[in-house]
Amino acid sequence: MGAMTGEAFINRLNQRKTEIWFNGNKVEGKISEHPAFKGLIHTKESLYDLQHDPTFNEDMTFSLPGKKERIGLSYLQPKTKDDLKRRRKMMEHWARHTHGMMGRSPDYMNSALMSFASSAAILKDRENCFPEHIQALYERAMNEDLSFAHSFITPQVNRSQINMGFSEEPISAKVVEKNEKGLVIKGARLLATQGGITDEILVFSAPRLFFDPDQAFAFSIPSDTEGLKFICRESFVGSESLFNHPLSARYEEMDSIVVFDNVLVPWERVFYYDNVDAAIDFLNKSSFYSFAYHQVIIRQVVKTEFILGVAELLVATINVSEYQHIQEKLSEIIIGLETMKALLDKSEADAEIDEWGYMRPSIIPLQVAGTIFPKMYPRFCEIIQLIGASGMVSLPTEKDFESPIRQDLEKYLQATNKTAEDRVKLFRLAWDLTMSPFGTRQIQYERYFFGDPIRLSSNLYKAYPKQLSVDRVSQFLHLKND
Amino acid sequence: MGAMTGEAFINRLNQRKTEIWFNGNKVEGKISEHPAFKGLIHTKESLYDLQHDPTFNEDMTFSLPGKKERIGLSYLQPKTKDDLKRRRKMMEHWARHTHGMMGRSPDYMNSALMSFASSAAILKDRENCFPEHIQALYERAMNEDLSFAHSFITPQVNRSQINMGFSEEPISAKVVEKNEKGLVIKGARLLATQGGITDEILVFSAPRLFFDPDQAFAFSIPSDTEGLKFICRESFVGSESLFNHPLSARYEEMDSIVVFDNVLVPWERVFYYDNVDAAIDFLNKSSFYSFAYHQVIIRQVVKTEFILGVAELLVATINVSEYQHIQEKLSEIIIGLETMKALLDKSEADAEIDEWGYMRPSIIPLQVAGTIFPKMYPRFCEIIQLIGASGMVSLPTEKDFESPIRQDLEKYLQATNKTAEDRVKLFRLAWDLTMSPFGTRQIQYERYFFGDPIRLSSNLYKAYPKQLSVDRVSQFLHLKND
Amino acid sequence: MGAMTGEAFINRLNQRKTEIWFNGNKVEGKISEHPAFKGLIHTKESLYDLQHDPTFNEDMTFSLPGKKERIGLSYLQPKTKDDLKRRRKMMEHWARHTHGMMGRSPDYMNSALMSFASSAAILKDRENCFPEHIQALYERAMNEDLSFAHSFITPQVNRSQINMGFSEEPISAKVVEKNEKGLVIKGARLLATQGGITDEILVFSAPRLFFDPDQAFAFSIPSDTEGLKFICRESFVGSESLFNHPLSARYEEMDSIVVFDNVLVPWERVFYYDNVDAAIDFLNKSSFYSFAYHQVIIRQVVKTEFILGVAELLVATINVSEYQHIQEKLSEIIIGLETMKALLDKSEADAEIDEWGYMRPSIIPLQVAGTIFPKMYPRFCEIIQLIGASGMVSLPTEKDFESPIRQDLEKYLQATNKTAEDRVKLFRLAWDLTMSPFGTRQIQYERYFFGDPIRLSSNLYKAYPKQLSVDRVSQFLHLKND
Amino acid sequence: MGAMTGEAFINRLNQRKTEIWFNGNKVEGKISEHPAFKGLIHTKESLYDLQHDPTFNEDMTFSLPGKKERIGLSYLQPKTKDDLKRRRKMMEHWARHTHGMMGRSPDYMNSALMSFASSAAILKDRENCFPEHIQALYERAMNEDLSFAHSFITPQVNRSQINMGFSEEPISAKVVEKNEKGLVIKGARLLATQGGITDEILVFSAPRLFFDPDQAFAFSIPSDTEGLKFICRESFVGSESLFNHPLSARYEEMDSIVVFDNVLVPWERVFYYDNVDAAIDFLNKSSFYSFAYHQVIIRQVVKTEFILGVAELLVATINVSEYQHIQEKLSEIIIGLETMKALLDKSEADAEIDEWGYMRPSIIPLQVAGTIFPKMYPRFCEIIQLIGASGMVSLPTEKDFESPIRQDLEKYLQATNKTAEDRVKLFRLAWDLTMSPFGTRQIQYERYFFGDPIRLSSNLYKAYPKQLSVDRVSQFLHLKND
């Protein structure tokens, strides 16, 4: 089939019998019509349709020798810097279409899968490892344009350092049985964005201190596998009104807790299990981080452009561009944007061919970008609030504008060169972006995208090549013992 | 009557025919039963009842010579430092009852009114000034325990400095006619917290550059005066579930735009009009700022204590107290709390009798507190988010706990020494405090309580006595020209 | 003798045969005439003279029953809040005389000694403890108005947490022998401010992890005790010109490394030794921290007043008070100053009688002040630099003004309402305060006055009473397990 | 002659009869032997020698058609991106040789001159403009490898915005007469780094509000022109000991006030005069900013590498790399370094041919780098101080290590894997870098390199292309009036 249409995406999703719990009830009926999911699903529909839009088709897809159908370009295994640029262009199109507000647009997981396939050789001939299952999934995903969710946070009864995390009753999802059909998994994962509303769920663990062998696995299974449950949080869709909630009505992605109730993972779906070394190697030596970061930073650049647009439009609407502190705040956003773009460019310019022949973006600039954005994004949202000031607080709704008080609103809320309606639309956008449950969840999401910020700093410090600088200082001082 | 009961408060409110617009509809029926207002109104009910609670009655009320009924203590005109302490104790009770989350508990406006009455003599014998109307209102308010709203932000088509704000059609509320009955007001005010759900609305303007004489007025009128309209924003009540939305279900106060559609303000309700000098003098020389700041800082101290409790309970629940960065964040809250308390104490210790014989808290320490809290409060909320981390994102609801998946939740969300239910309750509180529409509105509200933070800094700089320090340096250097 | 004169102070100091090393040479001749020390010693002379100045005598000294001579008031053991206020006034006089720039004015160590004597009972009847020696020293110090230095930092070959600090050869000063005459000490202490230029040196250790019993001692010995060596750092006196270096010419205090080369400490000088518990108890339960913090915060308040004076005088001189960012920076200093003052007031207002009958300032507000000043002071210095801007860089000297180019300077460096000479004097002060070796050492000194800032935050968090706040939140949520 | 040797540079400098005032005296004798200048001059000698060093000769020089001698590469007018890379490599060599500590290495002014020559066509056929004089100077500079100083700050009696800066007696240097020989200049410039110790001084003004036509000039004249005086500040050379003052002994550049006492500037030296429009155009449209920024950012990157080396060596020496807050501080330096490098790379990657055929680095990324470094550099210095902590305060000197107390120092100051001497060397470097007069002047210098930081932010905001982002938001909201 190759690159899917939006319609095909929705139809396939509606046919799955995934067990999803929402506010105490099991979700029944077409998932694409459920108020908590419909906005997102229709936005994803439009993303898939972009692949077939004549304007974008060339940029969004590629041909594979011997295949008739064009394939979604997020599956492309890059071999040249030009391939990297093509990947970037494709991701920019999707990110622009959603203004960077969809954290898990399909290219994220597709890129992850592509990187897995491109590095599967790491697992070759190692115990309990099945690199061929990765390749098989990659091909199936490409052909069927499958959508994936991923879960990465394990429940923690106790976050103390000295707690080992072992307990008798499995709380974190772990292997409780192996039989001829496959692995049996019991336990939970805490946070899967779009969990339940994709075709499959890909499960693997970030290595950590006291890494339990029973948790050192990776696999992908259909969302409607028996025993698999997705427990949703409350919905952050403000309403279906695009006037009132321009972002949450379209981009609220839902997060869920994933419960494995003795779920059977067939052998052909297992990538590896019970091999701590392989699990660590696979994450650290594969191109996963390079390509995941590459996708994320591209999206964050687009999001920052959007933030800049909102900020500047607010400034123009209430006519405050002459104020020095406003200029300073806007220049802070500009600095953030240019910095992210420069780091992204550098990761591509310094890209190198890895040992399996794929062109891997340089990781250090991406890691730097991934370390600073979690601090920049909340600050950008604060800047939006500081520009909007008390104007963010009492905003009328779409219905107010359709009621007899419309004329009062038109008069009292007009701006220098904007109607009251346009002004309110803009402020509602600013509110949805920074002060609604959708907006604050986005802040928390960007803050923790790559995990604990303190650990990110620490990793960067450890990974960074510092010796040359140290040597130069030692030589300058003629130190003896270095 | 004197200090009112909660029941009396509700009955009187329900009898008013105030014109309130909510989401395009005129509010009909008992206001105390409307979903957008009932939580707040019932919380206020419990505040008024506290005045009659045997435990608090002594602290919350006082006797006036020749009066049988006890009066609400927020009306007490303090003449000694002990009176100030009594006022503080009373305000702490009300603030504790609402954890500092109700910005406009009755003591705020009552204190304002008390300060107006205590300084009314400023207006004596000045053109278009009626100090006796202030005294009359003060007495009536005391006797009937009236509730008030206040509006302080004027619509601004244009916030540029060089814009004079004059326009033909009145946009900001202004006097459009004077006749034998009183003043006629037309135009709007942008933000009245609890506007429409109090007995009266007190209207006056903070002096500013290019202060239009037509806007230099002050008066108080019943909320259901003809031609007066309150246009509400959307409601930030998350739901009526105290489990799901422990704060917004109780404390969401609503903000509204106030429209004056040729409203007649009878002469006996007018404090002053068309006298820019008197308006400026009245605000700057009366004890208004001293007592308003005093009430606000007391509330903010209580709120900070609450924040500290939430933060520490989160730390204990997920067992992270050993982490240095967590200790540093908590100590930041502690420093903020102790600083606010020390400044409040100092304002009372340095209080002085003013020219009309009332004990006025020292303004400088209060001004400092009022300048730093707008920066501290958003940071405290950020700290709560940083402690809660990814745990803030996918929280189940009350109904989830009442459904078949309860056992999953109990198992996978348990904490070190807390049940899953208690853990979720706590995290939902943290979410409602910092990430819900209610929580983010609170952040914006505290940030702008006393107006533009940049102007606050500037005012503090200008008002602060610096000369002695300058002289000491000049003498140290033996400078010639000072 | 009681309160000493400046002359007596200098004479006694010059008679000591203290072994001081400076830039590779043993210091010979009168210490009060050595270029590295004379400025400081003459400033201290003027401090002692203040005790006899008719204007200050009453404030600076007190009478003891049965004593003719008045005693320096820093030795007063306070029993009432009024006593605390007297102590504060006395310390303010001394601090004002030196603009808070002398970190170790005599009242610091005098207060420490007073607190030791007031809490000596803690050591009663404990092994290897001699509270009577503390009392004896206190009385001798009072009668002779002795001056003291103190050393508090131990050498550390290795600051890693897992390093235990034990080594065969004593590096940190420790007891290497006990004999009938006393203890023999060998090893070093890293930093004694004014080390060698006081009558005595008081030695004790702040308890810490892995506290070696051999280091759990406290004693005081004359600076010229045999085997005691003081190794000075380079001098930060810029020159003797008060025009060029108004601060360092007067207040540079010198720091030294203290080497104990088998120094015999006679038994009557020992307070305690080889008793880890007693050492810990003595520091934590005595009033030492309360009174040490009290003195320090008083000095820091005076220093902040000086900073404010310098900042405002710069602003006036270059006429930039209209700039919003300048107003904001000045208000930052004002906020810091008022906060420190409020915390200081609160520590006195909340003072309580301790178990031995002395009025002890409340420690929490002082601890808060001591935690924030290390961050505020460097920022204040940065603000001075930001106001001075490029004007801080090319400043002429006193000799330039005495040379033929004086007229060029007078013309080209004049300010709005200041002569060039006054302008240069002021900028040189700002430079000496923030950019000279003296100024940057002051920054580092204030930053680390009470030790590692991260540990200070951590201590504050641990010491602070948080339970009441936690309980209120628990009750609000009706949590089960608290 | 082409690229000069160090010896030739010194000889030529010593032959000039420049009028330099230092601490009230006119400097006599060989300038290269004066204690205030010798360190710098010998460092510059070594920079010029690098041009002839076989290892660097190829990188540091280039050939011009028809010229035998190779020319210093900073004079190369780049026509391709490869030329830009060559320029960068050359500048990196010089910057590395001085660890980025010499703000005015010869490439800075050479690049400025090259950019002037490359854009001189802007001045063609304009009144009072002489582009041919620029070209002539450029050629002479290239052939003789001349060294230049520049002055850019005008004296300001009054920095208030509303002060026009006009006065009768010229204070800022201005044209007071025109005659057949040239312009006569009277007045002063406030800050010329290396003023008096270069061959020539290039004078031009940054356009500003109320730009006086009498100040709208540009020219270059020999430093020893009659009537020209350089008044130095005090010297920041700590001593000649490289052990004690490893940086200031080598890199202290000296700043001076430049006085024009009716200085005749011959016509053939004048670039333009009395033409405000041409002066503004020339600075804003020429490639001056692009090439000046390019040189500066290259140097700052090298300096940041040096900072990183110092920081990491300190961390290793006192063995604190395990601490999370240390890792975070180091990662802050790493982030700064990588960001600066990425922006520099981007400016080269996005370079474009200008209208006169020269390859101009993209200005936006350079402007961003130039806006953030003034904030990063002081923070890096603070980080160095925070790592060094109390260890920065009492450091022995070279002479201490040559004296009898050497053995004490060796024992008590040893580090984990460093001798005491090496440890002290390193800490003295850290002190000279961040706490000496040299170090603090560097902080102020980097902070104000491109002028007032607030204006830099404002310029960036104004120059940045924001419209596309605004349009996307407008379209997203279907706003009517954009």
Side-chain angles (χ1 to χ4, degrees), chain B residues 32 40 62 71 145 152 180 188 220 225 282 289 294 345 354 359 397 418 454 466 477:
Chain B
S32 70
L40 178 81
F62 72 110
I71 308 283
D145 216 351
F152 58 101
E180 78 277 17
S220 180
T225 300
F282 192 62
Y289 282 121
H294 191 231
D345 282 7
D354 69 15
M359 182 58 72
T397 62
K418 292 262 182 310
I454 286 164
K466 299 172 286 288
L477 293 176

Side-chain angles (χ1 to χ4, degrees), chain C residues 401-433:
Chain C
F401 273 96
E402 293 162 352
S403 80
I405 53 169
R406 179 185 177 95
Q407 60 195 23
D408 284 330
L409 300 178
E410 279 183 343
K411 186 166 163 198
Y412 298 123
L413 295 180
Q414 63 185 290
T416 317
N417 48 19
K418 291 266 183 308
T419 63
E421 200 167 351
D422 276 2
R423 178 203 193 124
V424 169
K425 269 184 177 178
L426 175 62
F427 271 84
R428 290 205 68 100
L429 170 63
W431 180 85
D432 210 15
L433 182 62

Side-chain angles (χ1 to χ4, degrees), chain A residues 371 375 453-461, chain D residues 327-328 331:
Chain A
T371 304
K375 285 171 188 157
I454 287 164
R455 204 172 40 72
L456 291 184
S457 283
S458 168
N459 289 347
L460 180 61
Y461 167 65
Chain D
Q327 294 175 353
E328 204 169 4
S331 85

